[in-house]
Amino acid sequence: MENFVVSARKYRPTTFDSVVGQSHITTTLKNAIKNNHLAQAFLFCGPRGVGKTTNARILAKTINCENITPEIEACDTCESCKSFNNSASFNVHELDAASNNSVDDIRNLVDQVRYPPQYGKYKIYIIDEVHMLSNAAFNAFLKTLEEPPKYAIFILATTEKHKIIPTILSRCQIFDFNRIQVRDIAEHLARIAEKEGVDADPQALHLIAQKADGALRDALSIFDLIVTFSSGNKVDYKTTIENLHILDYDYYFKMVDMLYKQDLPNVLLTFDEILRNGFDGHNFIVGLSEHFRNLMVCKDQATVKLLEVSDDVRKKYADQAATVSLGFLLSALNIANSCDLNYKSSKNARLHVELALMKIAHINSALNLAKELTSGNLEVKKKTDSVATSTEPAATTTSSKVDKVDLKPTIKLPSIKDLKTTVVTNVTTTTKTVEEVKPNKASAFTLEDLKKHWNSYAEKLKQEGLKNEYFILANRELHLQENFIIKFKIDNLVQQDQLNAIKPDFLEHLRKNLDNNLINLEVEIAKDEEIKKIYTAQEKLLYLSQKYPTVEELRRRLGLETDY
């Protein structure tokens, strides 16, 4: 039995023209080869399965080909191409940086660079997953990458460009690979199915392409899986959705029809059927949001191209979009998106989705009610405006009786006499107010009176449980300065903050009891006296002599000297 080769290897592109969905890359590389403008270091960046390593191998094969075709493709007949196709080329070296990421691995590679190719023009070094190299390995690679021999070309490939140090990036010519479009993947799968003799449904191929999320290698792996699973060497839509566990488009089309018709019982029964078939409620609401988005896209012919589905499904979308209103779609999309955001935090996930479906089912009722209220208000407004603008007397109306409207102005202008009376009243009131304002009191008081009321306020703080504030005021030495300024010392900045908190109430207490509104406080923070530490014998003797004079007399009589 012949060994099976997966499609990702069997149909791997071998020429630039066979690369799928990366024309901006292949065109640039072909022009560089044609014009002999090859850089000595390339960096291929992009998501998985989009052709980074494939393009690196094609480039390595083409630039060493002895007979390049006018289309800038390898001839496949020269010795260099034959050895490359047989994986026996000594000019192309591949290194997997994921498993060879140490400094020693890079040093071995640098040692190989010193030797020129035995045949051919270039030695090419392809380093895959280069972002896995350690910082030390990157640094060991810098000098060689910046000034390689003329025959050496480095092609680096990575899925995570942001992990590569800037000094490496600055030495490379960077190519950014795109995610492959759904249409391109589906067409490529159709060509492979034709070569393999597989009967493939276009809808199934589009579904596989969407599931691959822009990665051609993933799409080929899914394609092989569906072909192996199905009987009769074919890929149909039903088999694909069953195997990939994807909810059918028909469920969403049927669900939207029922929601728009406000058929709530069948909506809940259909959702229960979806759950019983093993589908997750979160995936359902995400798919429903995507369905509403696709319907909105079909509302305008200019945006239909954004719909990445097969032609048959696109027609279904267009037909349903013509039957539902844009207001319904906008409101439904908003509700479904809110349900998606709050799904994971919900305690009852099923009820959470069902409530969202109930709200969507009643959107049309809400829109109709709003429309009726708006139209009703407009009619009332028109009637009111017609009455307000009518200036004819009611007696002339013959069809209906309307009360006589008094059209006399309601605003009465004051006379000169009234204005004069108002001015006199205001002047009198202002004069009276000025007379009632008393000047600042400045009654004299003694230091004993000050201490009396000072201590009474401190006791009040103590009774209220404010012990820290009590200790700030208690037993303080007060100095009465000019202009009734009371000066005293506190211990630290913390006490100053606590004093500022009670200062307004404290000042009011002193001013009221001493009958003086000019009293103010001046606070000084006490400085800690520097304590000189005693170290030497002479300092100790001096300290004891000052404290106890008899010690010096004893030393003198005994004839003692200090020991230095």
Side-chain angles (χ1 to χ4, degrees):
M1 184 176 66
E2 185 180 356
N3 291 332
F4 173 72
V5 180
V6 296
S7 299
R9 288 184 56 195
K10 185 176 182 180
Y11 293 100
R12 189 168 198 162
T14 57
T15 62
F16 287 122
D17 289 341
S18 59
V19 175
V20 179
Q22 306 294 349
S23 58
H24 64 295
I25 302 289
T26 56
T27 302
T28 305
L29 293 177
K30 288 169 69 174
N31 289 337
I33 297 171
K34 182 179 180 180
N35 299 324
N36 197 21
H37 284 175
L38 282 173
Q40 290 201 294
F42 297 89
L43 179 62
F44 291 170
C45 312
R48 70 183 191 281
V50 295
K52 299 184 296 296
T53 307
T54 297
N55 276 275
R57 292 176 178 175
I58 295 173
L59 177 62
K61 176 183 176 181
T62 305
I63 60 180
N64 266 338
C65 180
E66 300 172 4
N67 301 309
I68 299 179
T69 64
E71 293 79 16
I72 315 300
E73 301 291 355
C75 64
D76 283 334
T77 57
C78 64
E79 292 298 326
S80 177
C81 292
K82 289 180 180 179
S83 61
F84 181 86
N85 293 336
N86 295 328
S87 300
S89 176
F90 293 101
N91 292 340
V92 180
H93 304 271
E94 292 194 32
L95 178 69
D96 180 20
S99 55
N100 302 277
N101 54 9
S102 66
V103 178
D104 292 335
D105 295 319
I106 294 300
R107 284 175 180 168
N108 292 335
L109 184 144
V110 171
D111 290 338
Q112 295 179 18
V113 174
R114 298 176 182 174
Y115 303 102
Q118 297 300 315
Y119 60 88
K121 191 175 180 180
Y122 297 101
K123 287 185 74 174
I124 299 96
Y125 297 88
I126 301 173
I127 305 178
D128 208 359
E129 302 299 335
V130 70
H131 65 273
M132 299 292 287
L133 289 178
S134 62
N135 285 332
F138 272 131
N139 293 327
F141 189 39
L142 278 176
K143 189 63 177 177
T144 304
L145 191 65
E146 183 177 14
E147 297 178 0
K150 293 183 179 180
Y151 53 80
I153 290 180
F154 297 95
I155 306 175
L156 315 180
T158 179
T159 55
E160 301 182 39
K161 183 173 68 173
H162 60 279
K163 291 186 178 180
I164 301 177
I165 60 176
T167 48
I168 293 290
L169 294 175
S170 63
R171 290 164 169 80
C172 298
Q173 194 174 86
I174 302 174
F175 290 84
D176 290 309
F177 285 69
N178 298 330
R179 290 183 180 274
I180 304 176
Q181 299 293 323
V182 173
R183 181 184 66 258
D184 295 334
I185 295 178
E187 291 175 355
H188 186 67
L189 293 177
R191 289 192 294 268
I192 293 176
E194 184 179 356
K195 291 179 182 179
E196 293 292 326
V198 176
D199 184 14
D201 186 356
Q203 291 188 25
L205 297 181
H206 270 84
L207 203 59
I208 294 172
Q210 291 177 20
K211 187 72 173 179
D213 193 25
L216 184 59
R217 183 172 59 238
D218 293 355
L220 292 170
S221 299
I222 297 173
F223 176 79
D224 289 342
L225 176 66
I226 302 302
V227 172
T228 305
F229 177 79
S230 60
S231 58
N233 203 28
K234 64 179 180 179
V235 176
D236 58 4
Y237 181 75
K238 184 177 180 181
T239 303
T240 303
I241 62 173
E242 288 178 357
N243 195 278
L244 298 181
H245 201 63
I246 298 174
L247 200 57
D248 189 5
Y249 285 120
D250 292 337
Y251 271 110
Y252 292 118
F253 283 113
K254 184 168 63 173
M255 180 67 74
V256 171
D257 285 337
M258 291 185 293
L259 289 170
Y260 194 69
K261 295 176 182 177
Q262 304 182 37
D263 189 0
L264 188 57
N266 283 326
V267 167
L268 297 179
L269 290 173
T270 304
F271 179 60
D272 178 70
E273 179 184 348
I274 292 171
L275 295 179
R276 282 190 284 103
N277 289 337
F279 294 100
D280 182 57
H282 196 191
N283 291 335
F284 164 74
I285 203 68
V286 170
L288 187 62
S289 301
E290 179 70 15
H291 190 83
F292 286 132
R293 177 260 182 191
N294 291 340
L295 289 175
M296 289 183 61
V297 164
C298 290
K299 280 289 186 180
D300 193 335
Q301 290 297 324
T303 56
V304 172
K305 61 182 180 181
L306 300 177
L307 202 61
E308 295 181 339
V309 294
S310 63
D311 293 337
D312 294 339
V313 178
R314 182 180 287 107
K315 186 177 184 303
K316 290 183 179 179
Y317 272 114
D319 293 340
Q320 190 171 61
T323 61
V324 296
S325 64
L326 184 61
F328 172 82
L329 293 177
L330 285 171
S331 302
L333 186 59
N334 186 31
I335 296 172
N337 184 58
S338 177
C339 179
D340 174 26
L341 294 176
N342 300 320
Y343 184 88
K344 291 185 178 180
S345 60
S346 174
K347 298 296 183 182
N348 190 338
R350 173 168 182 161
L351 179 61
H352 184 64
V353 178
E354 288 177 341
L355 284 174
L357 294 175
M358 293 176 191
K359 292 178 183 179
I360 296 174
H362 287 86
I363 288 176
N364 279 336
S365 298
L367 292 176
N368 293 333
L369 180 61
K371 187 176 180 181
E372 291 175 2
L373 291 175
T374 304
S375 60
N377 288 338
L378 289 175
E379 292 179 1
V380 172
K381 186 177 179 181
K382 289 179 180 179
K383 292 179 180 179
T384 306
D385 292 342
S386 62
V387 172
T389 54
S390 177
T391 55
E392 295 181 359
T396 59
T397 305
T398 57
S399 59
S400 61
K401 294 183 179 181
V402 181
D403 294 338
K404 192 172 183 179
V405 180
D406 187 8
L407 298 178
K408 292 181 180 181
T410 58
I411 301 175
K412 183 178 180 181
L413 295 176
S415 62
I416 299 298
K417 183 178 180 181
D418 294 336
L419 289 174
K420 183 178 179 181
T421 304
T422 303
V423 170
V424 171
T425 304
N426 290 339
V427 171
T428 304
T429 305
T430 304
T431 304
K432 182 179 180 182
T433 304
V434 171
E435 290 177 352
E436 289 177 352
V437 176
K438 297 180 180 179
N440 288 331
K441 298 179 180 180
S443 301
F445 56 89
T446 63
L447 186 60
E448 288 72 15
D449 294 334
L450 172 63
K451 290 181 178 180
K452 175 184 175 183
H453 295 293
W454 184 285
N455 294 330
S456 67
Y457 188 81
E459 290 296 328
K460 175 187 173 186
L461 294 175
K462 184 177 181 181
Q463 293 174 3
E464 292 177 355
L466 302 175
K467 294 184 179 180
N468 293 334
E469 288 78 358
Y470 165 75
F471 286 117
I472 294 174
L473 300 182
N475 301 322
R476 294 291 174 184
E477 185 178 353
L478 305 179
H479 300 279
L480 187 58
Q481 307 289 328
E482 295 180 359
N483 299 326
F484 305 104
I485 295 176
I486 305 169
K487 186 175 182 180
F488 68 102
K489 291 184 179 181
I490 58 176
D491 299 332
N492 48 50
L493 292 174
V494 176
Q495 288 187 351
Q496 186 178 14
D497 293 338
Q498 294 172 341
L499 177 62
N500 290 335
I502 63 172
K503 186 176 179 180
D505 188 56
F506 181 41
L507 280 176
E508 184 181 356
H509 171 81
L510 293 177
R511 290 170 179 173
K512 181 179 179 181
N513 288 280
L514 295 174
D515 197 25
N516 190 316
N517 293 334
L518 301 180
I519 294 176
N520 212 336
L521 301 178
E522 182 176 324
V523 180
E524 181 181 355
I525 300 177
K527 296 183 179 178
D528 295 333
E529 294 184 0
E530 184 179 359
I531 301 175
K532 186 176 180 180
K533 294 185 178 181
I534 301 172
Y535 296 101
T536 65
Q538 187 178 12
E539 290 175 348
K540 293 177 182 178
L541 177 61
L542 180 61
Y543 172 75
L544 290 173
S545 299
Q546 291 176 351
K547 189 171 183 180
Y548 306 105
T550 55
V551 173
E552 176 61 22
E553 181 65 20
L554 178 63
R555 184 194 68 79
R556 186 177 59 79
R557 289 185 179 184
L558 295 177
L560 299 177
E561 297 292 339
T562 55
D563 185 10
Y564 291 96

